[in-house]
Amino acid sequence: MYSKKGWGGDTEPFILTTLEKTTSQDDQDVFVSLVVFEFRDEDLIGVWPSPDAPEKEYICTQANIDKNYCNSTDLGTFILSPNASESKRNDILSTKINLKDPKPPKYDVQRTGYYCVGSSPFSDGAQYKGKVEFRNAYGRLPAAQIAKLPFYAGITIAYAVIGIFWAFLYAQNRHDILPVQNYITAIIIFLIVEQLMTWGFYDYQNNHGSNALSKVLLIVVSILNAGRNSFSFFLLLIVCMGYGVVKPSLGKTMVYVRFLAIAHFVFGVIYAVASLSITPDNAGPLILFVILPLAGTLTAFYVWTLNSLNYTMKDLLERKQSVKAMMYKKLWWCILASIIVIFGFFFLNSFTFAERSSPDFVPLHWKTRWFILDGWLNLVYMVDIAYVAYLWRPTANNRRFAMSDEIAQDDDGGFDMGSFGESLDEEDARSPTREEMNGGTGGGDEAKGKGELSPVPPKPVNEGGAIGISGASKAQRSSLDGETIFAVGEDGDRWSDDESPRHSEEKQKLTG
């Protein structure tokens, strides 16, 4: 529990134990011993009868009074150590309750800590039922989960900031948006709504406790969480396969990707319900049966995504599409870093659960276990989404550049002369000769016929030959270096067919 100073709130935090009223058959008093203490004061509860005794004596009975383990005034209560008043870190409540008229004892929490409530029947054959209310100053949410409230609020704000920057770039380049950028827009909007709903669930439970509406919100949040993960991995996989940029269609592979996404969605719903409804204190080894199926589909997504990404990069490098290949290379490093982080936390979780049998485990880790089970996954996901959105951010002329191929270049910056020569041959086959344009006798009627079939004026050729070509390639390449896949340099107009140098010369020739 948190103290009022430790977390804030309107009321003083307390622990209230309420036992049901019970009467015996002979109408005798029925007593129950009760103790409330902070975990670090556990050693002060009970006394050892001897140094080699197997267990402590906890209840102040008449026999223990005779042995001077406790006083007669403490009959029926838990025995405290003789030095408890001087050594205790927090108050210790030790009392007995008469079930004929049970008055609920109230324990005021002054300091943040892991508090325990213990009870034992003092009267022979006593059976009883009761409940313990741990009321924090901030509300009804368990202290082990209250940190999720500001965490999800911060995540929602972070996604909103990402959405604002994305919306600005989207509106600025709204006439040149790629389909994959529309998907990223939908994901960002979905994430803002999903994280806001998650925060709303915890806020409602903190104000109103667990009721029917909170259970409905839990189901909604679980479905949204699973849908977010499945849809994100689905999009990441098809992007790494080159869908829309390298390949126009994935064919039958798309069906298998959808099946994997559906399986991941189902396991994600189960995991989300478990993580939202089970507190870290109650999470035992059975939670692994919830995590393992989800980990299996998650691993399949990662392995398939990395293989597809490597194949796409290899294909782009073989086709000498260096700018696009660099884009996918950055994405590859992002995914690899995420895998390293996930495996690192996986081993950390393994060590954490291995120490669960220790009695000091929960009292020492109750504040941070929520982050190990749930929080860090949300941070890794947010960083990945932000990085992918940065790489695929809308820019000027990104549609034209994404769906086109770079002109193949040699390592020294010159064009591939073999492919360039073939393009010149094709141009010569479509264009008339100089003699045909001047009406010379070299071709006769045959040349004249060819001239009529191709009225396009001849393309001007630089006298520099290969030197002019190499110089042009260097000028063009310098504008592409260091840019992303959707950027074409500051002078985006040089991609325009109507204003290219070649068309300008042709226009002057035709009009002049």
Side-chain angles (χ1 to χ4, degrees):
M1 293 187 64
Y2 284 98
S3 64
K4 186 176 182 179
K5 184 179 179 181
W7 195 270
D10 299 330
T11 61
E12 294 293 336
F14 61 86
I15 301 174
L16 186 65
T17 305
T18 305
L19 300 179
E20 295 182 0
K21 185 176 181 179
T22 304
T23 58
S24 62
Q25 295 180 354
D26 53 1
D27 199 26
Q28 296 293 323
D29 292 335
V30 179
F31 291 98
V32 172
S33 303
L34 182 74
V35 63
V36 182
F37 62 96
E38 207 273 328
F39 181 80
R40 292 175 296 177
D41 294 328
E42 182 187 16
D43 294 339
L44 301 179
I45 309 299
V47 293
W48 293 100
S50 61
D52 57 348
E55 60 181 13
K56 287 183 175 182
E57 290 288 340
Y58 287 101
I59 306 300
C60 184
T61 62
Q62 186 61 46
N64 288 330
I65 293 175
D66 296 339
K67 297 177 182 179
N68 294 325
Y69 294 158
C70 57
N71 298 323
S72 58
T73 55
D74 299 328
L75 181 66
T77 64
F78 276 81
I79 301 175
L80 301 182
S81 176
N83 61 341
S85 300
E86 297 80 13
S87 303
K88 64 181 181 180
R89 296 178 176 88
N90 295 277
D91 292 338
I92 301 176
L93 174 63
S94 179
T95 185
K96 63 180 178 180
I97 301 174
N98 189 348
L99 296 182
K100 291 181 62 177
D101 184 21
K103 296 179 180 180
K106 183 179 179 181
Y107 179 89
D108 295 325
V109 177
Q110 302 295 332
R111 298 179 182 178
T112 300
Y114 189 82
Y115 288 87
C116 307
V117 177
S119 65
S120 176
F122 178 73
S123 302
D124 294 337
Q127 296 182 357
Y128 59 95
K129 293 181 181 180
K131 65 178 181 179
V132 180
E133 179 184 1
F134 294 86
R135 182 62 183 273
N136 286 277
Y138 55 78
R140 301 178 183 274
L141 200 64
Q145 297 192 37
I146 187 59
K148 292 183 179 181
L149 201 58
F151 175 79
Y152 282 109
I155 289 286
T156 303
I157 295 173
Y159 279 124
V161 172
I162 294 173
I164 292 173
F165 282 103
W166 181 269
F168 173 77
L169 295 176
Y170 190 97
Q172 191 178 34
N173 304 280
R174 60 188 177 276
H175 299 299
D176 201 28
I177 296 297
L178 293 172
V180 67
Q181 292 169 338
N182 289 327
Y183 284 125
I184 295 176
T185 303
I187 288 178
I188 293 176
I189 296 175
F190 183 87
L191 287 172
I192 296 174
V193 174
E194 188 257 343
Q195 297 299 321
L196 184 62
M197 286 293 297
T198 304
W199 173 84
F201 163 75
Y202 285 111
D203 183 68
Y204 180 85
Q205 191 176 20
N206 182 51
N207 294 324
H208 303 281
S210 180
N211 52 30
L213 184 55
S214 67
K215 291 180 174 60
V216 173
L217 291 175
L218 173 64
I219 296 174
V220 172
V221 169
S222 302
I223 295 174
L224 289 176
N225 183 269
R228 177 250 294 186
N229 293 335
S230 301
F231 189 44
S232 301
F233 283 120
F234 170 78
L235 288 180
L236 180 62
L237 180 54
I238 63 176
V239 165
C240 291
M241 289 180 175
Y243 178 68
V245 176
V246 181
K247 300 176 183 178
S249 175
L250 297 180
K252 215 173 181 181
T253 305
M254 180 65 79
V255 178
Y256 302 137
V257 176
R258 289 172 180 171
F259 280 147
L260 180 60
I262 292 173
H264 190 73
F265 172 75
V266 173
F267 295 135
V269 170
I270 299 174
Y271 174 80
V273 172
S275 62
L276 291 174
S277 59
I278 298 176
T279 62
D281 298 339
N282 298 327
L286 291 179
I287 197 68
L288 294 176
F289 290 98
V290 177
I291 297 176
L292 289 178
L294 184 65
T297 55
L298 183 65
T299 302
F301 263 120
Y302 271 119
V303 173
W304 200 355
T305 299
L306 287 178
N307 289 337
S308 300
L309 186 57
N310 288 332
Y311 178 81
T312 300
M313 289 191 299
K314 180 181 178 182
D315 178 64
L316 291 173
L317 291 174
E318 289 177 351
R319 292 163 48 199
K320 298 184 179 179
Q321 305 297 303
S322 58
V323 179
K324 294 181 182 180
M326 181 58 66
M327 187 75 173
Y328 281 92
K329 188 68 174 179
K330 293 178 181 179
L331 181 61
W332 185 89
W333 280 110
C334 176
I335 296 175
L336 181 62
S338 300
I339 292 177
I340 293 174
V341 172
I342 287 176
F343 272 98
F345 273 94
F346 175 78
F347 286 110
L348 178 61
N349 290 344
S350 300
F351 289 122
T352 300
F353 278 104
E355 298 175 357
R356 192 176 187 276
S357 59
S358 173
D360 297 335
F361 174 72
V362 175
L364 296 177
H365 298 89
W366 65 272
K367 292 183 181 180
T368 57
R369 286 186 66 199
W370 69 272
F371 184 80
I372 297 176
L373 294 174
D374 186 46
W376 66 275
L377 283 173
N378 285 278
L379 290 180
V380 172
Y381 179 85
M382 185 184 69
V383 172
D384 289 343
I385 285 293
Y387 189 70
V388 171
Y390 170 76
L391 292 179
W392 266 268
R393 65 191 183 275
T395 58
N397 296 324
N398 53 195
R399 176 186 291 274
R400 187 179 307 173
F401 189 55
M403 299 306 295
S404 62
D405 286 340
E406 264 183 274
I407 299 177
Q409 297 180 356
D410 295 332
D411 294 338
D412 60 355
F415 287 108
D416 186 351
M417 297 306 297
S419 61
F420 189 80
E422 293 175 359
S423 64
L424 288 179
D425 293 340
E426 293 177 359
E427 291 285 344
D428 292 341
R430 294 193 302 265
S431 303
T433 62
R434 186 180 299 275
E435 290 81 358
E436 294 168 350
M437 294 300 297
N438 295 331
T441 59
D445 296 337
E446 181 180 356
K448 183 177 180 180
K450 291 181 179 179
E452 292 175 354
L453 292 174
S454 181
V456 181
K459 181 177 69 174
V461 180
N462 294 332
E463 295 180 359
I467 299 176
I469 294 169
S470 178
S473 67
K474 291 179 179 179
Q476 186 179 23
R477 184 177 183 179
S478 62
S479 67
L480 296 176
D481 291 341
E483 300 290 342
T484 65
I485 189 171
F486 302 119
V488 295
E490 296 179 358
D491 189 9
D493 292 336
R494 74 177 55 182
W495 291 94
S496 175
D497 295 334
D498 296 335
E499 299 180 15
S500 63
R502 174 182 173 184
H503 283 262
S504 298
E505 293 179 10
E506 290 177 355
K507 184 175 180 181
Q508 293 176 1
K509 191 174 185 67
L510 291 174
T511 57

